[in-house]
Amino acid sequence: MDGTRLPGAAVEREDRIILHVDMDCFYASCERLREPALEGEPLVVGMGYEAGQTHGAVATASYEAREHGLKSAQAISYALERLPRAVDAGDDHDGPVGYYRPVDLDFYKQVAAEVKAILHEHAEVVREVSIDEAYLDVTDRTSWKAIDGGERTIAEGYGRHIKQQIARQVGVPASVGIAPNMSAAKIASDFDKPDGLTVVPPGEVTAFLEPLAVDELHGVGPVTARELRAMDIETAGELAAADPTALVTRFGQRGRELYARARGDDDREVTPTGRPKSLSRESAFTEATAETEAKQKKITALAADVAARARSREAMYRTIGIKVVTPPFDINTRASSLSGPVDEPELVERVALELLEEFDDTRVRKLGVRVSNLVFGEQDQARLDGFETTDLSDRSVTNDQQEPSTDTNIKSLGHGGRITDWTDDESVESAETRRRGQSSLGEFD
Ligand code: TTP
Ligand code: MG
């Protein structure tokens, strides 16, 4: 490296496609799975409603129960007042009644695992936020391209497809929001609950947020909302137009964040839950290109960026890989493994460029560089010392692709299809990878 280039400086960002899924009245929907007669009924899942019990709270209420003013975290005694238990209501009771069920977290976790498996099949990166909520980066699987005379985007079809897969395979309803960033996607999934699908294409984020009340913005609770109202700021649009200095004076650093969110600025990356298994960076070309020099330049910049991120996180890597996306959504990955973990930016660049040679004449839409098989912490520093005495040229570099019988490859293929996960798994290209990539192009109805 020449030492003058800023890592990542040459890596521009395309419009991402972030999908947020939040299951509808999740615990109640799970109860309906095993007790279909509860479908369409006011249903409360919670604790403390049995005779003789006095304390407890509502975990969730079905949308029918919400019409009677019930919601999560209310005292169960309040819920019983508004909506007496059907089993307790005498024949002379002519008001609305509700059905109550206890919380069975183990069962809900099983259902959630089935939902999450579907999500992982449909995205490169999935961030699971809670039992019933996740962010997906689906930039490589679909497109913002408009169809049907500009009325819809291909991404909308992809979102509908995911919802339908969950409904058909698991049997519970989900709401989905799709937007170019995480906070807008989250607001979008909440926008039309239950069974919602709200798509906010790039360029429409500010207009989408503008009329919303400030407390609908991520990170704005009742207290902040009250304080904002005291400043005459009621909507996200008013917050976006407010004086940022005044916001910082009032809320400190958070004020700057609130201002950015209201303007639809949020460049947080969707990172997988837990400690990363790999670090990667990718970048698209404005138009697909076969030009060797352009591709090499991008790979070099991406390699420097990824190596710098690994160093800043004190991570060493044993595997260096590239991702090559060819039009339309065909994902190819190649990786080489070293005999031990290293922290060597030049090696990341060299290996990535070598792996790229195979795609010399290929038209490429997007490129990525990844380091994986990460080792963190002090123990690794000791290992690094050991390596510093080793000549780089002595190190054996094996190409995963030429050794399809390595453990990682067997694991990936044995998974029954999850072989394209760029972030979590070692990936090898296969016919299935190609099919999966292409299947996300079409319309799903
Ligand atoms: P949420 O997604 O907040 O709520 P929900 O799925 O029931 O309803 P919505 O359609 O509005 O998304 O939370 C997911 C589950 O977490 C919920 O079903 C029950 C549980 N939960 C609690 O136990 N206590 C709480 O206070 C909240 C908010 C949720
Ligand atoms: Mg939910």
Side-chain angles (χ1 to χ4, degrees):
M1 207 161 66
D2 58 15
T4 56
R5 187 178 52 225
L6 279 176
V11 181
E12 76 283 359
R13 302 294 288 264
E14 64 178 334
D15 278 323
R16 295 174 301 153
I17 310 178
I18 311 299
L19 190 145
H20 182 257
V21 184
D22 190 304
M23 309 305 293
D24 302 322
C25 55
F26 185 56
Y27 292 4
S29 298
C30 292
E31 291 299 335
R32 285 169 165 169
L33 255 188
R34 55 183 175 188
E35 212 179 327
L38 294 172
E39 203 63 57
E41 300 288 350
L43 171 62
V44 175
V45 178
M47 293 295 185
Y49 55 82
E50 296 288 355
Q53 297 176 326
T54 46
H55 294 297
V58 174
T60 196
S62 73
Y63 280 78
E64 295 80 357
R66 290 181 199 193
E67 281 172 21
H68 300 281
L70 299 201
K71 57 183 184 187
S72 296
Q74 281 170 343
I76 204 86
S77 51
Y78 176 83
L80 288 163
E81 263 170 44
R82 303 291 294 253
L83 213 53
R85 274 182 86 182
V87 286
D88 295 338
D91 290 343
D92 52 342
H93 178 86
D94 58 0
V97 291
Y99 296 84
Y100 287 73
R101 294 292 178 268
V103 175
D104 180 356
L105 204 54
D106 287 342
F107 176 58
Y108 310 149
K109 281 182 183 164
Q110 280 173 33
V111 179
E114 287 177 37
V115 173
K116 303 272 163 80
I118 293 175
L119 300 182
H120 280 276
E121 278 172 23
H122 287 86
E124 305 307 307
V125 186
V126 177
R127 179 168 191 83
E128 299 176 13
V129 182
S130 74
I131 190 167
D132 86 326
E133 185 189 342
Y135 291 93
L136 281 64
D137 188 327
V138 294
T139 311
D140 290 339
R141 300 292 183 100
T142 182
S143 151
W144 280 123
K145 202 166 159 259
I147 48 169
D148 289 351
E151 261 180 45
R152 301 191 295 138
T153 58
I154 292 181
E156 180 179 327
Y158 197 57
R160 185 170 296 113
H161 170 70
I162 292 176
K163 268 166 63 79
Q164 283 175 348
Q165 289 295 306
I166 298 171
R168 283 180 196 153
Q169 292 182 35
V170 191
V172 285
S175 289
V176 164
I178 307 178
N181 66 49
M182 288 174 76
S183 61
K186 182 170 170 72
I187 295 166
S189 76
D190 201 39
F191 191 71
D192 193 23
K193 259 180 173 294
D195 199 22
L197 173 61
T198 302
V199 181
V200 187
E204 291 179 26
V205 176
T206 352
F208 169 69
L209 298 178
E210 211 171 53
L212 302 180
V214 282
D215 42 13
E216 292 189 50
L217 292 173
H218 193 39
V220 179
V223 177
T224 311
R226 209 174 314 125
E227 291 180 33
L228 286 168
R229 274 195 290 274
M231 295 168 81
D232 269 340
I233 298 170
E234 307 247 347
T235 65
E238 286 162 359
L239 181 55
D243 173 11
T245 324
L247 293 169
V248 173
T249 311
R250 181 68 199 80
F251 299 101
Q253 184 55 31
R254 236 185 100 233
R256 204 181 302 278
E257 225 164 77
L258 292 173
Y259 178 71
R261 295 283 156 82
R263 297 171 76 86
D265 299 334
D266 175 12
D267 58 8
R268 283 175 303 155
E269 268 178 59
V270 180
T271 49
T273 327
R275 190 173 241 187
K277 290 193 175 131
S278 66
L279 295 167
S280 63
R281 177 70 93 197
E282 41 192 79
S283 167
F285 292 100
T286 322
E287 258 178 51
T289 180
E291 227 180 273
T292 305
E293 204 183 314
K295 288 188 286 191
Q296 284 177 341
K297 215 170 134 199
K298 203 179 271 291
I299 282 285
T300 302
L302 290 166
D305 191 60
V306 167
R309 271 168 69 209
R311 186 167 282 180
S312 73
R313 289 179 170 218
E314 294 183 14
M316 302 212 296
Y317 31 87
R318 207 169 74 77
T319 302
I320 298 164
I322 63 164
K323 168 170 161 178
V324 178
V325 183
T326 53
F329 300 104
D330 197 353
I331 302 165
N332 307 279
T333 58
R334 298 289 183 270
S336 290
S337 289
L338 310 157
S339 54
V342 297
D343 165 15
E344 289 183 38
E346 289 87 355
L347 193 63
V348 179
E349 174 178 332
R350 203 181 80 205
V351 171
L353 284 172
E354 274 168 23
L355 294 170
L356 180 70
E357 281 170 17
E358 182 192 336
F359 299 90
D360 227 6
D361 303 318
T362 312
R363 275 181 72 237
V364 167
R365 183 169 91 76
K366 185 182 208 180
L367 289 169
V369 171
R370 175 180 74 165
V371 293
S372 56
N373 269 321
L374 303 182
V375 192
F376 293 86
E378 281 167 29
Q379 162 214 338
D380 325 320
Q381 285 306 317
R383 278 193 179 172
L384 177 64
D385 296 341
F387 266 113
E388 273 169 355
T389 56
T390 315
D391 186 339
L392 199 68
S393 57
D394 286 345
R395 210 163 282 146
S396 71
V397 176
T398 54
N399 193 318
D400 287 348
Q401 199 218 337
Q402 288 163 357
E403 295 190 341
S405 60
T406 60
D407 285 348
T408 30
N409 289 344
I410 290 169
K411 185 188 78 193
S412 305
L413 292 168
H415 230 311
R418 262 200 65 201
I419 48 176
T420 61
D421 196 334
W422 164 251
T423 306
D424 284 333
D425 273 331
E426 288 305 301
S427 308
V428 285
E429 189 203 25
S430 74
E432 182 158 3
T433 314
R434 280 195 294 275
R435 219 175 39 241
R436 184 177 297 284
Q438 285 183 344
S439 73
S440 56
L441 210 204
E443 266 292 272
F444 301 93
D445 271 314

mmCIF file with all atom_site columns, all heavy atoms in Angstrom, residues 8 87 103 107 257 423 441:
data_model
loop_
_atom_site.group_PDB
_atom_site.id
_atom_site.type_symbol
_atom_site.label_atom_id
_atom_site.label_alt_id
_atom_site.label_comp_id
_atom_site.label_asym_id
_atom_site.label_entity_id
_atom_site.label_seq_id
_atom_site.pdbx_PDB_ins_code
_atom_site.Cartn_x
_atom_site.Cartn_y
_atom_site.Cartn_z
_atom_site.occupancy
_atom_site.B_iso_or_equiv
_atom_site.pdbx_formal_charge
_atom_site.auth_seq_id
_atom_site.auth_comp_id
_atom_site.auth_asym_id
_atom_site.auth_atom_id
_atom_site.pdbx_PDB_model_num
ATOM 1  N N   . GLY A 1 8   ? -11.127 3.010   1.973   1.00 0.00 ? 8   GLY A N   1
ATOM 2  C CA  . GLY A 1 8   ? -12.545 3.190   1.682   1.00 0.00 ? 8   GLY A CA  1
ATOM 3  C C   . GLY A 1 8   ? -12.862 4.425   0.875   1.00 0.00 ? 8   GLY A C   1
ATOM 4  O O   . GLY A 1 8   ? -13.987 4.618   0.436   1.00 0.00 ? 8   GLY A O   1
ATOM 5  N N   . VAL A 1 87  ? -64.596 -17.425 29.552  1.00 0.00 ? 87  VAL A N   1
ATOM 6  C CA  . VAL A 1 87  ? -65.023 -18.538 30.416  1.00 0.00 ? 87  VAL A CA  1
ATOM 7  C C   . VAL A 1 87  ? -65.716 -18.051 31.693  1.00 0.00 ? 87  VAL A C   1
ATOM 8  O O   . VAL A 1 87  ? -66.503 -18.772 32.285  1.00 0.00 ? 87  VAL A O   1
ATOM 9  C CB  . VAL A 1 87  ? -63.845 -19.454 30.831  1.00 0.00 ? 87  VAL A CB  1
ATOM 10 C CG1 . VAL A 1 87  ? -63.415 -20.312 29.667  1.00 0.00 ? 87  VAL A CG1 1
ATOM 11 C CG2 . VAL A 1 87  ? -62.687 -18.654 31.396  1.00 0.00 ? 87  VAL A CG2 1
ATOM 12 N N   . VAL A 1 103 ? -48.222 -17.223 28.681  1.00 0.00 ? 103 VAL A N   1
ATOM 13 C CA  . VAL A 1 103 ? -47.035 -17.111 27.819  1.00 0.00 ? 103 VAL A CA  1
ATOM 14 C C   . VAL A 1 103 ? -46.302 -18.449 27.756  1.00 0.00 ? 103 VAL A C   1
ATOM 15 O O   . VAL A 1 103 ? -46.000 -19.046 28.781  1.00 0.00 ? 103 VAL A O   1
ATOM 16 C CB  . VAL A 1 103 ? -46.075 -16.018 28.372  1.00 0.00 ? 103 VAL A CB  1
ATOM 17 C CG1 . VAL A 1 103 ? -44.787 -15.962 27.567  1.00 0.00 ? 103 VAL A CG1 1
ATOM 18 C CG2 . VAL A 1 103 ? -46.769 -14.657 28.393  1.00 0.00 ? 103 VAL A CG2 1
ATOM 19 N N   . PHE A 1 107 ? -42.423 -22.369 22.951  1.00 0.00 ? 107 PHE A N   1
ATOM 20 C CA  . PHE A 1 107 ? -43.152 -22.581 21.698  1.00 0.00 ? 107 PHE A CA  1
ATOM 21 C C   . PHE A 1 107 ? -42.944 -21.403 20.741  1.00 0.00 ? 107 PHE A C   1
ATOM 22 O O   . PHE A 1 107 ? -42.695 -21.574 19.554  1.00 0.00 ? 107 PHE A O   1
ATOM 23 C CB  . PHE A 1 107 ? -44.646 -22.794 21.995  1.00 0.00 ? 107 PHE A CB  1
ATOM 24 C CG  . PHE A 1 107 ? -45.490 -22.920 20.756  1.00 0.00 ? 107 PHE A CG  1
ATOM 25 C CD1 . PHE A 1 107 ? -45.223 -23.919 19.816  1.00 0.00 ? 107 PHE A CD1 1
ATOM 26 C CD2 . PHE A 1 107 ? -46.546 -22.045 20.512  1.00 0.00 ? 107 PHE A CD2 1
ATOM 27 C CE1 . PHE A 1 107 ? -45.991 -24.039 18.660  1.00 0.00 ? 107 PHE A CE1 1
ATOM 28 C CE2 . PHE A 1 107 ? -47.324 -22.156 19.365  1.00 0.00 ? 107 PHE A CE2 1
ATOM 29 C CZ  . PHE A 1 107 ? -47.046 -23.158 18.443  1.00 0.00 ? 107 PHE A CZ  1
ATOM 30 N N   . GLU A 1 257 ? -28.422 13.113  16.075  1.00 0.00 ? 257 GLU A N   1
ATOM 31 C CA  . GLU A 1 257 ? -28.938 11.840  15.557  1.00 0.00 ? 257 GLU A CA  1
ATOM 32 C C   . GLU A 1 257 ? -30.425 11.941  15.192  1.00 0.00 ? 257 GLU A C   1
ATOM 33 O O   . GLU A 1 257 ? -30.856 11.492  14.137  1.00 0.00 ? 257 GLU A O   1
ATOM 34 C CB  . GLU A 1 257 ? -28.773 10.788  16.651  1.00 0.00 ? 257 GLU A CB  1
ATOM 35 C CG  . GLU A 1 257 ? -28.225 9.470   16.167  1.00 0.00 ? 257 GLU A CG  1
ATOM 36 C CD  . GLU A 1 257 ? -27.744 8.656   17.348  1.00 0.00 ? 257 GLU A CD  1
ATOM 37 O OE1 . GLU A 1 257 ? -28.610 8.081   18.039  1.00 0.00 ? 257 GLU A OE1 1
ATOM 38 O OE2 . GLU A 1 257 ? -26.514 8.632   17.593  1.00 0.00 ? 257 GLU A OE2 1
ATOM 39 N N   . THR A 1 423 ? -22.024 -13.527 4.340   1.00 0.00 ? 423 THR A N   1
ATOM 40 C CA  . THR A 1 423 ? -21.564 -13.037 5.622   1.00 0.00 ? 423 THR A CA  1
ATOM 41 C C   . THR A 1 423 ? -21.285 -14.148 6.626   1.00 0.00 ? 423 THR A C   1
ATOM 42 O O   . THR A 1 423 ? -20.311 -14.095 7.351   1.00 0.00 ? 423 THR A O   1
ATOM 43 C CB  . THR A 1 423 ? -22.621 -12.090 6.216   1.00 0.00 ? 423 THR A CB  1
ATOM 44 O OG1 . THR A 1 423 ? -22.874 -11.108 5.238   1.00 0.00 ? 423 THR A OG1 1
ATOM 45 C CG2 . THR A 1 423 ? -22.119 -11.430 7.474   1.00 0.00 ? 423 THR A CG2 1
ATOM 46 N N   . LEU A 1 441 ? -34.850 -12.292 -9.216  1.00 0.00 ? 441 LEU A N   1
ATOM 47 C CA  . LEU A 1 441 ? -35.067 -11.225 -10.196 1.00 0.00 ? 441 LEU A CA  1
ATOM 48 C C   . LEU A 1 441 ? -36.537 -11.039 -10.497 1.00 0.00 ? 441 LEU A C   1
ATOM 49 O O   . LEU A 1 441 ? -37.059 -9.951  -10.620 1.00 0.00 ? 441 LEU A O   1
ATOM 50 C CB  . LEU A 1 441 ? -34.354 -11.626 -11.498 1.00 0.00 ? 441 LEU A CB  1
ATOM 51 C CG  . LEU A 1 441 ? -33.790 -10.598 -12.437 1.00 0.00 ? 441 LEU A CG  1
ATOM 52 C CD1 . LEU A 1 441 ? -33.670 -11.134 -13.831 1.00 0.00 ? 441 LEU A CD1 1
ATOM 53 C CD2 . LEU A 1 441 ? -34.464 -9.264  -12.398 1.00 0.00 ? 441 LEU A CD2 1
#
